[in-house]
Amino acid sequence: MTAATTEADPAAAFPAYLHCLQEADEYAAVDVARGLLDAGVPAERVLLDLVAPAQAEVGERWARNEWSVAQEHAATHISERVVAAIAAYADPRPTRGRVVVACMDGEWHALPPRLVAEVLRLRGWQVTFLGASVPAAHLVSYLHRHDAHAVALACALPMRLPHAHRMIEACRRSDVPIVVGGRGFGADGRWARRLGVAWAPDAPSAADLVADERSLRRTPPAQLSHLADDEYAGLVRRRGELIDGALADLRERMPASRAYTPAQLDSTVSDLGYILDFLAAALYLDDATLFTDFVVWMADILTSRGVPAAALPTTLGHYAGVLRDHPRAARFLTAARASVTPAGGAGAA
């Protein structure tokens, strides 16, 4: 077992806690958190200044290919156990109404909204945490059966935003105020504003917003008139066909890909699908930066995993050619391809 170091400041305890995650030492990680609580550090600070930044670092280490998926999953599980231990230690009693916290349908990053749920609980709200990937119909059914002051919805990946909008509208028809959060809505909440919903950048801001019902309900209408061109719907309908075509094109242009193992092939098909899903979300929001930012991030991930640099521009070029009858999609693809094609490089013809 890793020896836990008790510090009276979350920042000072951070290296010890991160080492516990690295060593998959659940008991020592809990001891670090409890040591802070015993030293008088408020539970909210332990959640937000220790657990949250450590989980962000876990994600960065996975992205840099320093940690495997298994290590990332183990660390996340330990942080979930630490959050539970902090909640049990604080043991607040509700003095305010019910707030329902959930992840969007298809969204599996449940730890960040769990942190929001616990901060709300510490501030006196009766919180129902529904967890990861909650179908819209099930959430609405729950809201009909249980009176809620507000619902807080989390989305970590922008590609889920079309689904998020449908979930937001379903909640709105139940006349329950909504606040959203998570990286999926953009660092500045720009895509939440495009969808016409209140946004909070962090857990304390979400708690403040939930307490201000007037601000929670005062949101501008969604700005989605561009969907009339049917490009988003057309891309979604053709998703399977487009993936098959891109895979065939990749095998033609990059013969080495024909020798991929089943695991490599599955990963490639998933990547081809992610490209389309992020493109679809960019079309839904009519924001090319959503797609370009993803492509730049994906290029870094693929490079860290030893994938040939030309593979991504090749696929983007293929999709742009096939989707030339979709003007916005072709424009987004061309811009994204330019962002990852080295100066003077041919990329994909």
Side-chain angles (χ1 to χ4, degrees):
M1 179 185 293
T2 302
T5 302
T6 300
E7 301 284 354
D9 176 56
F14 180 85
Y17 181 75
L18 191 62
H19 182 70
C20 295
L21 298 184
Q22 181 175 334
E23 297 299 314
D25 193 336
E26 175 185 328
Y27 300 100
V30 170
D31 285 345
V32 171
R34 283 180 175 161
L36 291 169
L37 296 168
D38 289 339
V41 179
E44 184 170 321
R45 279 197 62 204
V46 180
L47 290 170
L48 300 181
D49 297 343
L50 179 72
V51 179
Q55 191 61 24
E57 176 61 23
V58 168
E60 289 297 321
R61 293 188 179 193
W62 171 84
R64 296 193 300 264
N65 206 28
E66 296 174 7
W67 282 17
S68 68
V69 171
Q71 287 176 293
E72 184 271 333
H73 284 186
T76 300
H77 168 74
I78 291 171
S79 285
E80 288 170 346
R81 298 284 291 174
V82 170
V83 170
I86 295 169
Y89 185 102
D91 195 25
R93 290 294 184 267
T95 57
R96 311 167 89 168
R98 184 190 303 272
V99 178
V100 177
V101 181
C103 291
M104 302 290 182
D105 193 3
E107 176 59 69
W108 296 97
H109 295 80
L111 184 57
R114 173 72 187 279
L115 292 172
V116 172
E118 296 308 328
V119 169
L120 288 167
R121 206 185 313 273
L122 288 168
R123 296 195 181 190
W125 294 98
Q126 180 181 353
V127 178
T128 300
F129 180 60
L130 299 182
S133 190
V134 181
H138 292 195
L139 175 59
V140 170
S141 176
Y142 188 89
L143 295 176
H144 284 161
R145 296 179 63 183
H146 300 275
D147 185 38
H149 171 82
V151 59
L153 300 175
C155 181
L157 298 174
M159 72 177 185
R160 300 294 182 194
L161 288 176
H163 301 285
H165 185 225
R166 290 190 282 274
M167 201 163 184
I168 290 164
E169 290 302 306
C171 292
R172 187 166 282 143
R173 287 192 292 271
S174 300
D175 196 34
V176 180
I178 308 154
V179 58
V180 300
R183 292 174 298 172
F185 290 98
D188 58 358
R190 69 181 68 180
W191 299 317
R193 291 190 292 275
R194 183 65 59 90
L195 296 178
V197 64
W199 170 80
D202 50 40
S205 299
D208 291 343
L209 189 53
V210 165
D212 185 355
E213 187 173 358
R214 179 175 297 181
S215 296
L216 199 56
R217 290 185 180 273
R218 189 174 57 242
T219 54
Q223 305 166 41
L224 300 172
S225 60
H226 52 272
L227 292 177
D229 66 13
D230 205 39
E231 283 202 32
Y232 166 78
L235 181 64
V236 171
R237 283 194 300 268
R238 297 176 60 187
R239 184 179 186 275
E241 162 204 335
L242 290 167
I243 291 173
D244 290 343
L247 183 60
D249 181 76
L250 192 64
R251 285 172 164 169
E252 179 66 26
R253 294 174 183 266
M254 302 184 67
S257 64
R258 301 173 194 168
Y260 278 180
T261 66
Q264 289 174 313
L265 182 60
D266 286 346
S267 179
T268 299
V269 170
S270 294
D271 289 342
L272 295 174
Y274 288 143
I275 292 170
L276 292 176
D277 293 340
F278 272 87
L279 177 60
L283 292 173
Y284 197 93
L285 278 298
D286 195 32
D287 191 337
T289 63
L290 187 159
F291 185 60
T292 299
D293 288 349
F294 160 72
V295 167
V296 171
W297 174 85
M298 188 178 193
D300 290 339
I301 294 295
L302 293 176
T303 298
S304 73
R305 283 153 175 72
V307 176
L312 184 54
T314 292
T315 296
L316 296 173
H318 169 78
Y319 278 148
V322 173
L323 293 170
R324 55 184 173 274
D325 57 338
H326 291 56
R328 285 196 296 134
R331 187 170 70 252
F332 292 0
L333 284 158
T334 299
R337 181 185 170 202
S339 71
V340 293
T341 301

